[in-house]
Amino acid sequence: MAMNMSRRRFGAGVASLGALAAASPLSRARAQAAPLKIGVLLPRSGFLADIGQQCQRGADISVPILREMGYSLELINADTESKPEVARTQAEKLIREGADILMGAFESGATAAIAQVCEQNGVPFVINIGADPQITEQGYKFTFRNFPTSIMLGTSGLSLFNELFKATGVTPKTAVLMHANDTFGQSMLKGITALMPKLGLPFQIVETVAYDPLARDLSIEVAKCKAARADIHMVVTRNKDAGLMVREMVKQKYEPMGIISPGSPGMYEQPFLKTLGKYADYCISNVPWYDPKQPLAKTVEAAFHKAYPDFSFDLNIGFSFEGVMVCADAYKRAGSAKPAALVEALKTTAISNRLMVGGTIRFNEKGQNVDLRSASVQILEEKPTVVLPVENAVAKPVFPMPGWDKRG
């Protein structure tokens, strides 16, 4: 009920803004141009539904804000149901329904399927979230990604380990790696294995434990991790499995120095925070994140909390907002919704007024934004908080973490 009320209040606010804007000659001139139709594909149902719905909120909140910034756009939404094969058919459906450009789709399998459809149909595609490196290694002409590849995630995420140890004066010697065995998890495992020797990290991975992200019981996997007696518990999780894992760690009284992800979802998500309460505290996710010191991030966060007071503001919101913004910005500069014009505009994207940690949004010859980096996001007082890099941080990191029975 609260969610429905917040949607109505938000809708009323947007309507009021629209009424004010319509009164100006400039706004009337803008209204004469047809808005860009952005087909948004996200996993709003299925096992990734919580994240997909959060991404959808980020896309939805972007519309009134971007219109106030002078962009002309509308969204056509579709549910991938957390299935790549559904993502493909939904992408084809949106194109038939007149979408000028597609944006999505969080999960790499679905994102890869949509990219293929867009290449086959000559329709531009902007990736909000999706880390499989191969997506931008196919020589595609219509695909643009404003999100790190898994290699970029691993490099930036692992580099933050050394920053954490330096900031806290604590240096662990061993780690166990527990990872989801899906496409993303396997890609991250490959990247971590390749990068560890190159980054001068002081610890060794003494055990690797894979698990099914759809599993309902992780007791055996957690027991294997505990038996390794490693200093830190490294994780590559997906969504609900992160909560299942930590609950089992509490149950088994498995207390490493810290629970740290080098770059995966799960431990900053709303379900994780709500389910675990104080046991969520001190978990660290080294992930791409919004810069809490950026003016646009503050503006979007305030609007988001007003519209959705029961939900946390996270990277899913930020990258989905930026995904829509990239589409709208290309249209504004191109002056046309024709695919060729949009693609040429996307190639020359240069957006410095952004939400996320990193430099100006621009794409290389492969359609990949390479100027992105991760932040260490630690749960403090049950809230995701940027603790590193220092220039973006709003609090100091806590490491080692307190034991389970020492929480308030």
Side-chain angles (χ1 to χ4, degrees):
M1 179 61 73
M3 182 63 190
N4 290 335
M5 289 299 293
S6 67
R7 282 184 181 275
R8 287 196 291 271
R9 288 197 298 269
F10 178 62
V14 173
S16 298
L17 289 173
L20 289 172
S24 72
L26 179 60
S27 295
R28 285 196 296 271
R30 285 177 185 154
Q32 292 173 1
L36 179 71
K37 294 182 179 179
I38 305 173
V40 177
L41 294 123
L42 295 165
R44 294 182 299 177
S45 63
F47 82 101
L48 294 172
D50 290 330
I51 297 176
Q53 290 166 13
Q54 189 76 329
C55 289
Q56 186 67 58
R57 295 179 191 107
D60 290 343
I61 198 74
S62 73
V63 175
I65 296 174
L66 292 174
R67 283 176 178 167
E68 282 298 294
M69 293 169 65
Y71 297 108
S72 178
L73 70 154
E74 67 178 60
L75 306 185
I76 310 173
N77 301 311
D79 180 10
T80 67
E81 301 178 19
S82 304
K83 300 174 183 177
E85 64 273 18
V86 175
R88 175 181 292 278
T89 58
Q90 289 287 57
E92 293 169 344
K93 179 174 180 288
L94 288 181
I95 292 171
R96 289 196 303 271
E97 291 177 351
D100 300 308
I101 189 169
L102 300 188
M103 194 280 286
F106 180 77
E107 193 271 324
S108 289
T111 302
I114 296 166
Q116 291 174 0
V117 170
C118 286
E119 293 296 317
Q120 292 164 1
N121 289 272
V123 174
F125 176 40
V126 173
I127 299 170
N128 67 327
I129 300 173
D132 186 353
Q134 290 305 310
I135 296 172
T136 46
E137 294 294 328
Q138 305 292 317
Y140 288 160
K141 298 178 180 179
F142 295 86
T143 300
F144 299 83
R145 173 162 50 187
N146 182 41
F147 192 78
T149 66
S150 57
I151 300 298
M152 293 169 63
L153 280 171
T155 302
S156 188
L158 287 171
S159 296
L160 283 164
F161 278 72
N162 279 335
E163 292 189 39
L164 174 67
F165 305 152
K166 181 180 178 180
T168 59
V170 179
T171 304
K173 301 300 182 184
T174 57
V176 60
L177 174 59
M178 183 172 174
H179 69 92
N181 63 4
D182 61 1
T183 302
F184 173 72
Q186 293 292 344
S187 178
M188 286 293 291
L189 173 64
K190 184 184 296 184
I192 291 167
T193 302
L195 291 167
M196 282 280 294
K198 301 177 182 179
L199 296 175
L201 294 173
F203 60 87
Q204 292 184 331
I205 297 176
V206 296
E207 182 71 78
T208 301
V209 179
Y211 70 93
D212 182 349
L214 297 177
R216 296 184 179 182
D217 184 351
L218 294 176
S219 58
I220 294 175
E221 289 82 358
V222 168
K224 287 181 180 178
C225 292
K226 182 180 179 180
R229 298 182 180 276
D231 293 330
I232 56 176
H233 184 74
M234 288 177 65
V235 299
V236 177
T237 55
R238 291 302 274 162
N239 189 13
K240 294 179 181 178
D241 49 298
L244 190 64
M245 174 190 68
V246 173
R247 282 198 300 272
E248 192 60 42
M249 291 176 71
V250 175
K251 182 179 178 181
Q252 296 189 27
K253 297 181 180 180
Y254 169 31
E255 297 182 332
M257 286 184 180
I259 305 171
I260 310 174
S261 169
S264 67
M267 296 194 301
Y268 54 79
E269 310 285 356
Q270 189 80 6
F272 182 82
L273 303 176
K274 282 190 172 183
T275 301
L276 292 172
K278 65 182 181 180
Y279 296 123
D281 276 350
Y282 310 111
C283 291
I284 298 175
S285 300
N286 293 342
V287 290
W289 200 256
Y290 69 94
D291 185 344
K293 297 181 178 180
Q294 284 283 2
L296 183 57
K298 294 177 181 178
T299 297
V300 176
E301 183 176 14
F304 178 82
H305 285 312
K306 184 177 180 181
Y308 307 107
D310 299 325
F311 294 89
S312 61
F313 189 75
D314 58 28
L315 76 84
N316 300 311
I317 302 300
F319 275 109
S320 296
F321 181 99
E322 285 196 346
V324 175
M325 181 170 65
V326 167
C327 297
D329 175 76
Y331 177 53
K332 185 177 183 179
R333 289 183 293 106
S336 169
K338 292 182 178 179
L342 288 175
V343 166
E344 289 306 308
L346 285 165
K347 289 179 179 178
T348 57
T349 297
I351 303 174
S352 57
N353 182 24
R354 62 176 311 194
L355 282 73
M356 312 306 289
V357 172
T360 298
I361 299 174
R362 52 171 57 95
F363 304 105
N364 66 10
E365 68 282 357
K366 296 179 180 179
Q368 175 66 48
N369 179 7
V370 297
D371 198 358
L372 292 158
R373 74 162 300 184
S374 295
S376 284
V377 180
Q378 186 167 40
I379 309 303
L380 298 176
E381 297 181 359
E382 302 179 30
K383 180 182 178 182
T385 306
V386 176
V387 295
L388 290 169
V390 174
E391 61 268 27
N392 308 110
V394 292
K396 293 182 179 181
V398 178
F399 181 80
M401 69 179 190
W404 304 122
D405 62 352
K406 294 180 174 61
R407 309 294 174 96

